[in-house]
Amino acid sequence: MPEGHPNPFAIMDIFDKEGHLVTVSDGSVIFHDMSFGWVLAQPDGIVIAQGSGPCNGRGNSLRSEGAGMLSATVFISLVLTYTNRNSISLKCVSDNQELINRMNDHKDYE
């Protein structure tokens, strides 16, 4: 995918070709300053889109890493809406076990 802004239709073309995409999120807490970052990638690791930002609230790693996964999820939701698609298969990766547990507990929600 060329440098610059990701094209939602190109993202869905890659998904159609690969069968699934991967999103990886991480967060950071230094005292009370929190931030997050995420990438959306092809299964072979080629990055398609990325995002980062600050996180508000009481400083902890679950909150910052959760904000990163939420940001990636909202991005994917917007891609689906823009391309008039209903679903996508994602592998979500995190190094925070509590975030993984909570995502597994909530993955069947509409």
Side-chain angles (χ1 to χ4, degrees):
M1 179 162 289
E3 294 286 328
H5 300 288
N7 178 319
F9 293 102
I11 291 171
M12 294 311 296
D13 287 345
I14 294 168
F15 164 69
D16 290 338
K17 178 182 170 212
E18 299 290 342
H20 74 277
L21 298 176
V22 179
T23 184
V24 180
S25 172
D26 202 4
S28 174
V29 180
I30 300 175
F31 188 56
H32 289 291
D33 293 330
M34 296 182 290
S35 61
F36 66 83
W38 58 266
V39 296
L40 177 67
Q42 296 176 197
D44 63 4
I46 295 174
V47 174
I48 301 169
Q50 57 192 347
S52 63
C55 181
N56 297 315
R58 184 174 34 101
N60 67 54
S61 63
L62 175 60
R63 184 180 302 267
S64 63
E65 295 190 19
M69 196 59 71
L70 177 61
S71 177
T73 302
V74 169
F75 176 79
I76 292 297
S77 176
L78 292 170
V79 168
L80 290 172
T81 299
Y82 189 79
T83 59
N84 203 26
R85 302 281 289 267
N86 294 324
S87 65
I88 191 169
S89 178
L90 292 175
K91 289 190 179 182
C92 300
V93 180
S94 173
D95 64 355
N96 186 299
Q97 188 62 50
E98 183 60 26
L99 177 61
I100 293 167
N101 293 342
R102 290 182 185 202
M103 288 181 65
N104 284 333
D105 288 345
H106 294 93
K107 69 182 177 184
D108 295 325
Y109 286 5
E110 288 293 322

